[in-house]
Amino acid sequence: MTVEHDVRDLGLATGGRYRIEWAERDMPVLRQIRERFAKERPLEGVRMAACLHVTTETANLMRTLQAGGADVVLTASNPLSTQDDVAAALVVHYEIPVFAIKGEDNATYYDHIRRALDHRPQITMDDGADLVSELHKNRTELLDGVIGGTEETTTGVIRLRAMAADGALKFPVIAVNDSMTKHLFDNRYGTGQSTIDGIIRATNVLLAGRTVVVAGYGWCSRGIAMRAHGMGANVIVTEVDPLKALEAVMDGYRVMPMIEAAPIGDIFVTSTGDINVIDVHHFEVMKDGAIVANSGHFNVEINIPGLRQLAVDEPRRIRPFVEQYRLADGRVINLLADGRLVNLAAAEGHPASVMDMSFANQALGSEYMLIEGKNLENKVYTIPQSIDQEIARLKLESMGIRIDTLTPEQVRYLNQWQEGT
Ligand code: ADE
């Protein structure tokens, strides 16, 4: 009997399975965890609901949780990021219930979240906090049964910290994003590469010689700026935080307000976590043919309703994931992927080898939550440093890279204070 699901087409399952196996080869840390989980079964019988981007990498995380004994269901964390073949493969080949269809409307997106919550999760796993938010807003009868949750991304962690500060959070959550082995790698190298990948797949533009404007200089934006520069683009960074702006300057980028960057840029990418970072007054001064994309979690960073109002007719879908808005003076603005995460909508998200560490944190974070959840307050926690370090150690080992260890003399030196010049 087929497990519960709402996916595009179960006939896509074989191709999805091949791609899941392809990704698995680049996820050695997660594979080791899966092997241990299969022996020790630390999540035996635990009901879990995961609200994550439905990708080949996520599929390998689901397999890991399942190997640990969890009874897990998966729903999409974004209406445009689902890989339909992967969703089908999880249902057909791995017997994991999935509710996710690429391009689903908002009503279906929330209906899918509700179906995942019908599973009465004891542990929640989020990317953006939509599952936790829906649970706290509309399914409060389930709260007592929840031990705790994990959260993948910067935006979700910010939302959860706001809930905790308001006293609204009703169970503890592990902020996977706070692990060094997550944000230093996934946010920087993952978002850096996959965002450029999404822009290129959607448009096939040459980056060399173009002016790329990157909004924000957090870990994700740093990666985007670094990779755009590496492809020969002239990079401009916009920021509101003086420290980050200063770092961008000293990393060699031009820094200026968006209103000054708007008439100069050829390609714009937002990754700030805030709303209307590119607004109507910016569109008004952009070049004809400007390309505008977002890599932040929600589709609020570009003022799309404002762009729609500015346009003189219906946007034209000129290529998959590219919509052209024509303005009164004849200029055209190209919006990618409806302002949703361009790296997941127009490309495949971060490569497996970086998701390996993020999802090792998710797997070990849920094991930790199961053991420690009862002793934690209803707050947002960081994974213990020892787990973070162990993930880094395993990743290096899988890459065949050895490092030095402190000699006893060096340990003694670091622990004393008498010796100076
Ligand atoms: N977030 C960014 N890239 C991802 C991927 N490949 N899988 C799941 N979540 C992601």
Side-chain angles (χ1 to χ4, degrees):
M1 203 188 66
T2 314
V3 295
E4 220 193 324
H5 63 274
D6 188 20
V7 303
R8 166 94 49 211
D9 176 6
L10 292 182
L12 301 171
T14 304
R17 182 180 191 168
Y18 290 161
R19 293 204 313 112
I20 292 167
E21 287 176 15
W22 175 259
E24 191 213 353
R25 296 187 67 87
D26 252 347
M27 304 184 85
V29 177
L30 193 64
R31 191 165 56 241
Q32 280 193 48
I33 295 170
R34 191 170 83 231
E35 284 161 9
R36 174 172 72 77
F37 272 19
K39 278 196 218 111
E40 298 176 6
R41 306 279 288 178
L43 305 173
E44 190 70 60
V46 176
R47 288 188 309 279
M48 295 184 67
C51 179
L52 301 173
H53 300 295
V54 179
T55 64
T56 53
E57 293 74 29
T58 298
N60 282 302
L61 172 61
M62 294 301 105
R63 293 174 64 198
T64 306
L65 302 175
Q66 186 183 48
D71 172 9
V72 62
V73 301
L74 174 64
T75 186
S77 61
N78 185 287
L80 260 192
S81 61
T82 297
Q83 298 171 5
D84 288 319
D85 57 345
V86 170
L90 281 168
V91 172
V92 173
H93 295 294
Y94 301 103
E95 296 184 3
I96 293 176
V98 181
F99 311 104
I101 300 172
K102 187 175 178 99
E104 63 196 13
D105 59 19
N106 262 27
T108 312
Y109 175 76
Y110 276 101
D111 181 52
H112 283 162
I113 288 184
R114 282 189 286 274
R115 287 182 71 177
L117 288 175
D118 288 343
H119 191 54
R120 295 181 295 113
Q122 295 164 288
I123 293 197
T124 64
M125 192 174 271
D126 249 310
D127 186 333
D130 279 347
L131 192 70
V132 167
S133 170
E134 181 66 18
L135 187 53
H136 282 72
K137 279 197 274 194
N138 299 319
R139 297 298 292 274
T140 48
E141 80 282 5
L142 299 174
L143 283 169
D144 273 353
V146 182
I147 299 165
T150 62
E151 168 55 53
E152 171 81 5
T153 201
T154 319
T155 295
V157 171
I158 291 170
R159 279 177 98 185
L160 292 165
R161 290 223 158 94
M163 283 177 79
D166 269 356
L169 187 65
K170 299 298 177 206
F171 50 79
V173 180
I174 300 273
V176 163
N177 190 68
D178 287 3
S179 297
M180 298 290 186
T181 48
K182 201 283 187 178
H183 66 262
L184 290 181
F185 303 93
D186 169 314
N187 300 25
R188 183 167 35 172
Y189 305 112
T191 312
Q193 177 167 321
S194 62
T195 299
I196 301 297
D197 186 16
I199 293 170
I200 292 174
R201 287 200 210 190
T203 63
N204 198 26
V205 290
L206 183 74
L207 290 181
R210 296 279 164 89
T211 297
V212 173
V213 180
V214 180
Y217 206 59
W219 289 110
C220 293
S221 317
R222 274 161 216 240
I224 299 166
M226 178 171 59
R227 294 303 180 233
H229 174 72
M231 299 282 284
N234 295 305
V235 176
I236 295 175
V237 171
T238 70
E239 247 302 339
V240 292
D241 177 334
L243 261 177
K244 288 182 180 159
L246 195 55
E247 279 188 281
V249 171
M250 298 223 179
D251 284 346
Y253 304 115
R254 281 186 289 165
V255 175
M256 62 185 77
M258 183 59 84
I259 194 62
E260 288 173 27
I264 308 172
D266 298 303
I267 300 165
F268 295 80
V269 193
T270 55
S271 186
T272 69
D274 214 335
I275 58 167
N276 296 340
V277 175
I278 297 185
D279 213 335
V280 172
H281 59 292
H282 302 126
F283 294 127
E284 277 168 346
V285 295
M286 279 183 189
K287 288 186 199 171
D288 178 33
I291 293 169
V292 182
N294 167 52
S295 217
H297 187 80
F298 289 119
N299 61 337
V300 295
E301 305 208 13
I302 301 167
N303 184 353
I304 300 171
L307 178 58
R308 228 173 256 137
Q309 276 190 354
L310 209 57
V312 288
D313 45 21
E314 280 299 298
R316 183 164 69 125
R317 174 138 300 192
I318 189 157
R319 291 166 61 98
F321 306 111
V322 185
E323 298 221 296
Q324 287 196 322
Y325 290 78
R326 205 163 56 84
L327 310 189
D329 59 5
R331 276 177 305 129
V332 156
I333 308 281
N334 296 295
L335 175 68
L336 305 192
D338 297 331
R340 297 202 187 268
L341 291 150
V342 71
N343 59 333
L344 280 140
E348 294 172 65
H350 305 352
S353 75
V354 83
M355 292 313 293
D356 188 26
M357 287 189 281
S358 311
F359 286 167
N361 276 284
Q362 284 284 12
L364 298 181
S366 46
E367 181 185 35
Y368 176 78
M369 183 54 78
L370 195 63
I371 299 165
E372 288 297 328
K374 306 171 280 302
N375 306 322
L376 301 177
E377 291 174 53
N378 297 340
K379 287 192 190 155
V380 179
Y381 290 87
T382 300
I383 252 181
Q385 205 190 5
S386 56
I387 296 183
D388 207 0
Q389 292 257 334
E390 177 65 4
I391 292 170
R393 196 190 64 71
L394 289 172
K395 189 69 180 175
L396 280 171
E397 194 178 279
S398 76
M399 297 164 93
I401 295 168
R402 296 187 308 122
I403 58 173
D404 288 321
T405 45
L406 293 173
T407 62
E409 180 195 30
Q410 288 171 328
V411 173
R412 263 196 313 279
Y413 180 83
L414 291 177
N415 285 315
Q416 61 79 44
W417 52 271
Q418 289 94 341
E419 234 174 280
T421 309

